[in-house]
Amino acid sequence: ALFAAPAAAGEADVTAVKVSREAGGTWRFDVTIRSRDRGWDYYCDRFDVVGPDEKVLGTRILAHPHDDEQPFTREITGVRVAPGTRRVTVRALMKPGGAGGDVRSVQLDP
């Protein structure tokens, strides 16, 4: 018999995203990440909001490791998205090297 093994988690997995429209037509993203932080030399140091054309629309720099806070949620505000864009992707990246993990695609309601 064959059994499906659960997928291994990545180094920095986006586990949830809450998105809301701000005044002026920009967007706010509240992003929850589970990462394999191991101190200042290896931690999730940013996340990106990426458009359908792979253009980075916004980046939130994370200034410190979250070894003792897993998962953690941070926001990015003021993200401008081209009119007509209905879906974006959120990804998290590790320092050094940019290794990531699971991403989340989110719907933008008009």
Side-chain angles (χ1 to χ4, degrees):
L2 296 175
F3 297 95
E11 296 300 302
D13 296 323
V14 176
T15 61
V17 178
K18 179 183 171 189
V19 60
S20 56
R21 185 182 292 269
E22 299 176 306
T26 59
W27 296 87
R28 174 187 172 122
F29 296 84
D30 292 272
V31 178
T32 302
I33 298 167
R34 180 176 302 280
S35 60
R36 296 183 183 189
D37 291 14
R38 294 189 289 275
W40 287 98
D41 293 329
Y42 193 78
Y43 70 96
C44 180
D45 68 340
R46 71 187 185 277
F47 64 85
D48 297 329
V49 177
V50 182
D53 59 356
E54 296 299 314
K55 179 181 176 188
V56 175
L57 305 174
T59 297
R60 168 72 190 258
I61 301 297
L62 304 170
H64 60 86
H66 294 87
D67 301 48
D68 298 324
E69 182 188 357
Q70 293 291 326
F72 62 94
T73 302
R74 296 295 180 272
E75 78 284 337
I76 183 173
T77 61
V79 177
R80 295 200 179 282
V81 177
T85 302
R86 295 292 171 246
R87 186 167 293 280
V88 297
T89 301
V90 180
R91 66 183 179 202
L93 300 156
M94 298 291 284
K95 170 195 167 187
D102 292 340
V103 301
R104 289 280 185 248
S105 177
V106 293
Q107 181 75 28
L108 302 178
D109 293 326

